[in-house]
Amino acid sequence: MLHSDIDSPVILMCGISGSGKTYFSKKLEEKGYKRLSLDEHIWSLYGSGFSSFPSERRKLVFMQAAKEMDQQLAESIDKGEKVVLDSTMCKRIKRERTLALCREHGVEPIFIYLETPLPLLSERLSRRRGTGPNDQIVSPEDLSSFYSNFEPPLSSEPHIVATNLM
């Protein structure tokens, strides 16, 4: 799938850490999309210190940041901007809420699911050094948890499966 093949006012990325969401969304940004990144938003607030927070605090920070991203998404839609949301969308409930939000604002988004095998995710994440929001270190234990708890889009969900992007 080529980035030029996509024509939607809102694109919602979906995939596990290391699947290529940021790579893909930056290509769309080059084509005029406004990129909203949950990782970059959290990094702007907490920097590298976020990764050392206890898991409960990280979860709360993540939930608050996700609400702020939803607000930014709604505002961007209302302004008529083309938007790509660079986030995992790891749970169906989150995808359903985001889909409903987009529809409330008059837009039918496209979900791009970056289906990536665990060995490739592991290899990509092993190269990370923690130098910025798009280079955050993900431990093998966290990757295993992310992978086993990820809820891939079902056939009833509106999505496009993309593989081998990088």
Side-chain angles (χ1 to χ4, degrees):
M1 173 176 49
L2 302 173
H3 303 97
S4 59
D5 295 339
I6 298 169
D7 185 26
S8 176
V10 175
I11 297 174
L12 306 169
M13 302 306 297
C14 177
I16 298 169
S17 297
S19 62
K21 297 177 305 296
T22 298
Y23 174 84
F24 194 94
S25 62
K26 283 185 173 188
K27 293 293 183 186
L28 290 170
E29 188 175 37
E30 292 171 6
K31 303 224 178 278
Y33 280 81
K34 177 180 183 177
R35 188 170 67 88
L36 299 177
S37 166
L38 190 58
D39 288 339
E40 289 179 11
H41 181 65
I42 290 172
W43 189 273
S44 74
L45 297 172
Y46 301 99
S48 61
F50 174 74
S51 62
S52 64
F53 290 173
S55 63
E56 272 308 305
R57 181 162 182 221
R58 279 187 303 190
K59 189 177 193 178
L60 291 173
V61 166
F62 185 84
M63 288 174 19
Q64 179 59 38
K67 287 180 187 177
E68 293 166 7
M69 284 286 100
D70 286 347
Q71 182 179 350
Q72 287 183 31
L73 176 61
E75 290 170 2
S76 294
I77 292 170
D78 291 344
K79 291 178 187 174
E81 297 172 322
K82 291 176 86 170
V83 182
V84 57
L85 183 60
D86 183 358
S87 182
T88 62
M89 294 285 168
C90 60
K91 299 291 183 190
R92 182 173 185 176
I93 188 82
K94 174 61 177 161
R95 294 190 299 270
E96 288 174 351
R97 285 185 195 136
T98 306
L99 179 62
L101 173 93
C102 290
R103 288 176 173 166
E104 286 170 19
H105 290 267
V107 171
E108 189 67 30
I110 292 176
F111 282 91
I112 306 283
Y113 169 44
L114 302 180
E115 186 175 57
T116 311
L118 184 58
L120 182 55
L121 294 171
S122 181
E123 189 272 321
R124 287 178 180 168
L125 293 173
S126 72
R127 293 182 291 199
R128 291 191 176 180
R129 299 294 170 248
T131 62
N134 302 313
D135 187 46
Q136 294 182 54
I137 295 171
V138 177
S139 71
E141 296 79 21
D142 283 346
L143 175 57
S144 178
S145 175
F146 295 163
Y147 195 82
S148 63
N149 291 306
F150 186 81
E151 296 174 4
L154 302 174
S155 60
S156 60
E157 293 180 76
H159 71 282
I160 297 169
V161 176
T163 57
N164 301 319
L165 292 177
M166 300 170 24

